[in-house]
């Protein structure tokens, strides 16, 4: 998981670790070093929290897409923005959640994306 907010990372990591069918292999702030470690982690799903970044950092998605050659990516975005959604899809994001998603919505999205499904808000 890549998220700048420590509170968000720790809370979501704790929730994901409580699920017997999920393993959390990393939980770090968004940085070049964290992105570089994604491929070696052999993870299946990468969660990225866009935080409150303005403008949205599409370059981060591109770097994650290149680093996570076999992993699928879920973006949690703070605002409903069709342009960001379309950019995310172009960067191979398999799941897209908005800030009002519940913790269980995130867990369900991780499971769905892991099984090859796409997840996006209506």
């Amino acid at each position: 998981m890549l998220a700048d907010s420590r509170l968000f990372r720790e809370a979501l990591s704790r929730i994901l670790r409580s699920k017997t069918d999920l393993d959390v292999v990393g939980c770090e702030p968004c940085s070049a070093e964290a992105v570089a470690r994604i491929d070696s982690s052999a993870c299946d799903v990468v969660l990225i929290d866009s935080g409150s970044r303005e403008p949205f950092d599409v370059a981060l998605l591109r770097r994650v897409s290149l680093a996570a050659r076999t992993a699928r990516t879920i973006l949690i975005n703070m605002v409903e923005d069709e342009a960001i959604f379309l950019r995310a899809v172009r960067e191979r994001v398999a799941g897209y959640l908005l800030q009002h998603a519940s913790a269980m919505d995130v867990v369900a999205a991780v499971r769905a994306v892991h099984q090859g499904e796409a997840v996006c808000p209506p």
Side-chain angles (χ1 to χ4, degrees):
M1 174 187 336
L2 299 176
D4 288 328
S5 167
R6 180 178 178 183
L7 178 62
F8 181 77
R9 283 193 319 269
E10 289 178 358
L12 192 51
S13 177
R14 185 172 297 217
I15 291 165
L16 292 169
R17 288 177 200 273
S18 74
K19 306 304 174 193
T20 58
D21 62 324
L22 301 177
D23 292 318
V24 176
V25 297
C27 185
E28 302 185 41
C30 297
S31 68
E33 296 81 21
V35 171
R37 285 192 288 273
I38 289 173
D39 195 45
S40 63
S41 73
C43 63
D44 297 318
V45 177
V46 177
L47 284 168
I48 302 173
D49 174 37
S50 71
S52 57
R53 294 175 194 197
E54 288 295 328
F56 177 71
D57 188 1
V58 72
L60 173 65
L61 281 179
R62 189 169 297 118
R63 290 190 306 270
V64 169
S65 179
L66 292 171
R69 290 175 284 167
T70 60
R72 302 194 57 165
T73 305
I74 297 172
L75 175 64
I76 302 171
N77 198 19
M78 295 297 109
V79 295
E80 189 171 341
D81 185 320
E82 185 176 342
I84 292 173
F85 171 75
L86 293 174
R87 283 189 217 150
V89 170
R90 282 193 292 274
E91 295 300 330
R92 295 186 12 209
V93 167
Y96 187 86
L97 298 171
L98 295 171
Q99 67 179 348
H100 54 73
S102 70
M104 292 303 102
D105 290 338
V106 176
V107 170
V110 169
R111 288 177 175 142
V113 164
H114 182 262
Q115 294 177 356
E117 299 173 29
V119 175
C120 66

